[in-house]
Amino acid sequence: MRIDSHQHFWKYHPVKDAWITDDMKVLQRDFLPADLLPLLQQNNVDGCVAVQADQSEMETNFLLQLAQENDFIKGVVGWVDLRAANLEERLQHFAQYKKIKGFRHIVQAEPADDFLLSTDFCSGIALLSKYNFTYDILVFPRQLKHVAAFVQRFPEQPFVIDHLAKPDFKKADFAEWEKAMRAAAAYPNVWCKVSGMVTEADWSNWTNDNFTYCLDVVVDAFGINRLMFGSDWPVCLVAASYQETCNIIHRYFMQFSIAEQEKLWGKNAVDFYHL
């Protein structure tokens, strides 16, 4: 089974989705399952994991509703307030839904680089494994240096780093990113999504070669068993079509064995998210 481990849906609203600025005009509309399904079919992808883009339980419920109506949405990564006093009650509530697999917080938008290490946030993370929930780590490279210290606290918790932690492909200065990425990868409960690369490159002038160095690093650091493909559709559309995002991955990983490619394209996502 081929799985897109990372994509989004939304009904566009200019206030709720204020992060979609005018230079991303292509994203200023609704993106729903009917828009995605033909793209999955054209690219031989059997299913997907829908990931939150808004920090509200309304968003989690919206994605769950879509997943219940569309069988190809195999799992949901939602949002819950991990710092809330009633968190356990909320996790118990969401645990009744088979398709909710884990949660994510938009840490990249937090002003403190070491937000992941804050006491109330860590208290929330500590409850996730009790309910078999995963956690998606969304950080910029400046925050990545704290990820190893963060994951070290939770050896039983499955983590996945989204979008290779967003290295800046325009500057191609990867030394600090690589050091922090290798430190995080040293923990066997940490995985990585091969996703979201084109949006960190020059939107109109990227080439496949822009991504080779960082792909080499994550393959070496995580190994093929802890990497999974994600399109980051529709966000990828600012720089590339769905097909083009697939082609970048296909071109790089075609040198790997069929069994290894099957892991990257689907098996690892099935294993990580229990799809």
Side-chain angles (χ1 to χ4, degrees):
M1 196 154 67
R2 285 178 74 153
I3 297 289
D4 181 343
S5 74
H6 197 105
Q7 55 74 220
H8 307 284
F9 297 114
W10 60 71
K11 288 185 176 174
Y12 177 69
H13 186 281
V15 175
K16 174 178 74 73
D17 303 311
W19 64 274
I20 305 176
T21 47
D22 283 346
D23 58 341
M24 301 170 144
K25 261 205 182 328
V26 67
L27 303 182
Q28 292 177 341
R29 67 172 183 85
D30 296 355
F31 287 93
L32 294 166
D35 302 301
L36 178 62
L37 183 57
L39 301 175
L40 297 182
Q41 290 168 337
Q42 288 157 25
N43 290 279
N44 301 312
V45 179
D46 302 293
C48 64
V49 176
V51 180
Q52 63 83 223
D54 180 57
Q55 307 216 107
S56 67
E57 284 198 12
M58 236 170 72
E59 169 86 340
T60 309
N61 293 329
F62 165 68
L63 295 178
L64 274 172
Q65 183 68 35
L66 295 181
Q68 280 157 7
E69 294 165 358
N70 297 274
D71 190 50
F72 72 88
I73 304 172
K74 303 297 183 189
V76 166
V77 175
W79 184 87
V80 69
D81 186 354
L82 290 161
R83 296 174 286 178
N86 68 336
L87 173 62
E88 183 136 26
E89 176 195 308
R90 301 315 298 146
L91 294 178
Q92 284 170 355
H93 164 74
F94 285 119
Q96 70 186 298
Y97 298 100
K98 190 167 165 257
K99 281 199 173 177
I100 190 147
K101 304 301 180 179
F103 294 97
R104 183 176 83 154
H105 184 85
I106 302 176
V107 175
Q108 68 174 32
E110 296 290 346
D113 286 0
D114 62 351
F115 173 86
L116 286 171
L117 302 178
S118 54
T119 305
D120 53 355
F121 188 74
C122 284
S123 296
I125 294 288
L127 287 172
L128 293 180
S129 61
K130 180 176 174 182
Y131 298 93
N132 296 315
F133 286 130
T134 62
Y135 181 77
D136 271 55
I137 299 173
L138 178 66
V139 289
F140 283 130
R142 63 183 169 79
Q143 298 155 320
L144 179 62
K145 61 179 177 284
H146 298 290
V147 167
F150 169 63
V151 299
Q152 182 182 27
R153 299 179 178 186
F154 309 102
E156 303 304 314
Q157 173 61 44
F159 292 108
V160 61
I161 296 173
D162 291 345
H163 312 325
L164 281 71
K166 298 196 165 186
D168 186 345
F169 295 104
K170 297 182 291 296
K171 288 187 180 161
D173 177 11
F174 302 126
E176 289 302 307
W177 167 85
E178 178 175 353
K179 182 181 167 191
M181 200 60 153
R182 288 186 181 278
Y187 295 91
N189 56 321
V190 183
W191 300 43
C192 180
K193 287 184 183 177
V194 183
S195 59
M197 295 186 294
V198 288
T199 49
E200 305 309 312
D202 182 331
W203 291 356
S204 28
N205 292 299
W206 60 266
T207 70
N208 282 277
D209 293 342
N210 295 149
F211 312 119
T212 304
Y213 184 85
C214 292
L215 288 171
D216 286 348
V217 169
V218 295
V219 167
D220 183 58
F222 289 90
I224 200 73
N225 294 333
R226 289 189 284 147
L227 297 178
M228 58 185 101
F229 155 71
S231 68
D232 199 27
W233 180 92
V235 184
C236 66
L237 298 178
V238 299
S241 68
Y242 193 96
Q243 171 110 47
E244 285 170 322
T245 63
C246 289
N247 287 348
I248 294 165
I249 310 301
H250 175 70
R251 189 166 164 179
Y252 179 87
F253 286 96
M254 65 194 292
Q255 63 187 299
F256 289 72
S257 72
I258 297 297
E260 289 172 326
Q261 290 182 53
E262 285 174 351
K263 287 178 179 179
L264 173 94
W265 283 105
K267 188 175 183 306
N268 292 345
V270 170
D271 290 349
F272 181 81
Y273 284 120
H274 303 294
L275 302 180

